[in-house]
């Protein structure tokens, strides 16, 4: 059985048709962590907190508890399914500045395991 690809700890460059998926805030103020990387390197738009922007995709993680993140993750999974031409490299969203643990965030991505073009962090 072939092991599925996982997202590296740090993403510094993207291959063709790859999208950097990062944790954002609703205001789209990409001032730190992976959001800063998305803004500086992969086309994230200051002031846009959600969705595709350049070669990145923002999922808000700073607005409350895990339950407030889930609808955005579900929206992302649906979007990724609609774009099989792209490969989405998901960072450990919510596990940095937002303060959540992998054990809290990983269950939100259970349905993503079925989507060929979504690459998740190890152990998610």
């Amino acid at each position: 059985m072939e092991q599925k690809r996982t997202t590296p700890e740090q993403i510094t460059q993207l291959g063709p048709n790859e999208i950097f998926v990062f944790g954002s805030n609703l205001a789209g103020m990409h001032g730190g962590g992976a959001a800063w990387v998305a803004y500086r390197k992969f086309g994230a738009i200051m002031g846009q907190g959600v969705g595709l922007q350049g070669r990145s995709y923002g999922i808000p993680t700073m607005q409350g508890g895990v339950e407030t993140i889930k609808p955005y993750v579900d929206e992302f999974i649906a979007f990724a399914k609609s774009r099989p031409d792209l490969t989405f490299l998901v960072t450990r969203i919510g596990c940095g500045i937002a303060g959540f643990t992998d054990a809290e965030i990983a269950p939100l991505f259970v349905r993503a395991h079925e989507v060929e073009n979504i690459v998740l962090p190890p152990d998610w």
Side-chain angles (χ1 to χ4, degrees):
M1 180 175 180
E2 185 178 326
Q3 187 170 347
K4 191 168 181 181
R5 179 180 173 194
T6 59
T7 308
E9 182 66 31
Q10 291 202 356
I11 299 169
T12 57
Q13 60 186 11
L14 297 172
N17 300 318
E18 289 184 335
I19 304 296
F20 181 84
V21 181
F22 66 100
S24 183
N25 57 63
L26 288 169
M29 301 312 297
H30 310 307
W36 177 248
V37 174
Y39 173 68
R40 296 286 295 168
K41 295 189 90 152
F42 304 126
I45 299 166
M46 201 60 79
Q48 180 180 337
V50 184
L52 189 66
Q53 35 195 307
R55 296 191 66 199
S56 63
Y57 187 103
I59 298 176
T61 60
M62 303 284 288
Q63 66 279 352
V66 173
E67 71 283 352
T68 70
I69 301 169
K70 185 178 180 347
Y72 295 105
V73 172
D74 292 344
E75 182 180 315
F76 160 70
I77 293 169
F79 181 79
K81 283 182 180 178
S82 77
R83 294 299 306 268
D85 57 313
L86 300 174
T87 299
F88 296 88
L89 306 179
V90 179
T91 63
R92 293 175 58 240
I93 71 151
C95 298
I97 296 168
F100 296 102
T101 65
D102 289 302
E104 291 172 306
I105 299 296
L108 302 179
F109 285 87
V110 166
R111 288 185 28 243
H113 288 277
E114 304 162 8
V115 184
E116 249 340 279
N117 62 330
I118 297 177
V119 180
L120 297 171
D123 302 323
W124 275 29

